Amino acid sequence: MKEFSKEVYLKWYEDMTMWRRFEDKCRSLYLKQKIRGFLHLYNGQEAIPAGFTHAMDLTKDSMITAYRCHIHPMAMGVDPKRIMAELCGKATGTSGGMGGSMHIFSKEHRFYGGHGIVGGQIPLGAGIAFADKYFDRKAVNICFFGDGAARQGSLHETFNMAMNWKLPVVFVVENNQYAMGTSVKRTANHEDIYKLGLGYEMPCLAVDAMDPEKVAEAAYEAIERARRGDGPTFIEARTYRYRGHSMSDAEPYRSKEEVAVHKNDDPIELVKHRILENGWATEQELEAIDNKSRDFVDECVEFMENSPYPEAEKIYEYVYAQEDYPFLDKLEN
């Protein structure tokens, strides 16, 4: 794996500060009704995509996740301006403004969503890995899901098949402690979610997911195992989200004091501390990176504001692959 160099840490700091500001700006745009529907923010979990993409081969590996999906595609190389446009339903968005917050997608960068169905992406991730193995692409799929989705029955079916066929997939539960407003402690007779892999003799482990180094180390071992043909790994990425489940979440299930305690482990502050500790940058240089991140997010908003909404007739283009589908005749008549 690439070493954790000065360049890596400075890139992490620039990326993670931009991601945090991007999500904060999304919150502001939602309150202004520029973003409609649901909006799930990623604040606090930035070390996970930072660590995983450090360990991945971005020329062939792929990723799939749930509805908290704005940051993962950025880490894979998708233009944040197009993501912002998609969030606001603009034609320049990653899905032409037709997907919105929960359905970011990029075939070019092998980012396959963005799924609103809880746990729906788990078998899909294994399916992508099956295709990679079938066509001998030497590629690995990273399949993310939340702690709530770990209770879906499809997880067990998928784990069984993935181990049986030794599929090149890494399953990652982003355990941010709450499935919507339900604590992990209340959803099962155990709190160590990673142990679900033991029933399938799948290598499994928990990792401190507030530290991108620890995430990258665990990710690299799992990815290389999959690439060798030895099958999947299940990683429990233990993290914490600083915002509510979605913008409609008043967070009655946790206290401000609890959130404040977890903010002591802020992954961005951890990266900043290591940079300063190693003398890789000064406070002034990091402040300049912060300002650069703020300016770039403003550019994303400007790009979105200057982009048109999709034309009304486009609504039917992404529904039916068959151009002469009979239902369209009924609409016209």
Side-chain angles (χ1 to χ4, degrees):
M1 182 173 61
K2 302 183 292 290
E3 64 175 324
F4 301 121
S5 62
K6 168 185 174 180
E7 290 72 25
V8 167
Y9 261 89
L10 289 176
K11 183 179 188 303
W12 276 348
Y13 187 74
E14 182 172 350
D15 286 345
M16 292 166 72
T17 54
M18 190 276 285
W19 297 341
R20 180 73 61 85
R21 291 187 184 283
F22 187 97
E23 294 289 73
D24 286 342
K25 182 61 72 172
C26 287
R27 182 176 186 275
S28 174
L29 292 171
Y30 189 91
L31 294 173
K32 296 176 181 176
Q33 298 189 344
K34 297 275 186 178
I35 297 175
R36 303 296 186 93
F38 293 99
L39 183 69
H40 307 83
L41 303 178
Y42 202 69
N43 301 44
Q45 302 181 211
E46 295 90 352
I48 299 174
F52 263 91
T53 51
H54 180 78
M56 294 169 67
D57 182 344
L58 296 182
T59 66
K60 57 186 177 184
D61 293 341
S62 62
M63 188 181 289
I64 191 168
T65 188
Y67 43 75
R68 202 178 304 278
C69 63
H70 314 151
I71 303 307
H72 297 80
M74 294 185 207
M76 292 288 285
V78 180
D79 186 350
K81 293 181 180 179
R82 295 194 63 211
I83 294 173
M84 182 65 80
E86 185 62 37
L87 286 164
C88 295
K90 295 300 185 77
T92 53
T94 51
S95 298
M98 300 291 183
S101 171
M102 296 193 289
H103 304 100
I104 308 297
F105 180 92
S106 174
K107 181 180 179 181
E108 176 188 359
H109 292 92
R110 292 167 300 284
F111 180 77
Y112 298 117
H115 291 267
I117 302 300
V118 176
Q121 75 278 17
I122 299 174
L124 295 179
I128 294 167
F130 179 85
D132 287 336
K133 182 173 184 175
Y134 185 86
F135 292 108
D136 195 27
R137 294 172 180 148
K138 298 295 186 286
V140 177
N141 177 260
I142 313 300
C143 179
F144 290 105
F145 50 93
D147 46 273
R151 311 309 179 191
Q152 284 283 1
S154 61
L155 175 140
H156 298 277
E157 296 173 333
T158 303
F159 275 19
N160 184 58
M161 295 177 76
M163 280 299 293
N164 196 31
W165 294 341
K166 297 295 184 286
L167 299 182
V169 56
V170 179
F171 297 107
V172 187
V173 54
E174 294 186 281
N175 180 5
N176 60 24
Q177 315 301 320
Y178 293 98
M180 295 185 70
T182 305
S183 169
V184 169
K185 298 177 182 179
R186 297 176 56 202
T187 61
N189 191 44
H190 63 92
E191 293 181 46
D192 295 322
I193 299 176
Y194 74 94
K195 291 181 179 178
L196 290 174
L198 295 174
Y200 305 94
E201 298 187 358
M202 184 186 298
C204 50
L205 70 154
V207 62
D208 174 6
M210 304 304 270
D211 184 338
E213 266 199 36
K214 292 178 180 178
V215 172
E217 289 168 350
Y220 183 77
E221 183 177 344
I223 289 168
E224 290 309 298
R225 178 178 188 275
R227 209 182 305 282
R228 287 194 307 268
D230 293 337
T233 300
F234 182 33
I235 296 175
E236 179 184 346
R238 292 178 172 173
T239 184
Y240 195 84
R241 55 171 166 80
Y242 297 150
R243 298 289 189 187
H245 168 73
S246 69
M247 286 296 293
S248 60
D249 181 7
E251 305 178 62
Y253 49 86
R254 64 182 185 181
S255 66
K256 292 182 179 179
E257 289 75 20
E258 177 186 315
V259 178
V261 167
H262 283 282
K263 284 188 176 181
N264 292 328
D265 299 323
D266 191 321
I268 297 176
E269 290 301 315
L270 181 146
V271 169
K272 180 179 180 178
H273 172 75
R274 287 182 180 161
I275 290 172
L276 293 172
E277 187 179 45
N278 286 282
W280 289 334
T282 64
E283 287 275 9
Q284 291 74 23
E285 288 169 330
L286 293 181
E287 185 177 350
I289 292 175
D290 289 340
N291 292 333
K292 179 181 177 183
S293 297
R294 183 186 297 108
D295 292 343
F296 179 72
V297 171
D298 288 341
E299 289 176 20
C300 292
V301 175
E302 183 179 5
F303 175 81
M304 176 275 294
E305 294 284 13
N306 292 329
S307 297
Y309 286 104
E311 298 174 357
E313 56 269 21
K314 292 281 185 181
I315 193 170
Y316 301 115
E317 290 190 10
Y318 307 106
V319 179
Y320 303 107
Q322 183 181 337
E323 292 185 6
D324 60 344
Y325 191 75
F327 183 67
L328 296 181
D329 294 335
K330 293 182 174 63
L331 284 176
E332 291 169 359
N333 296 326

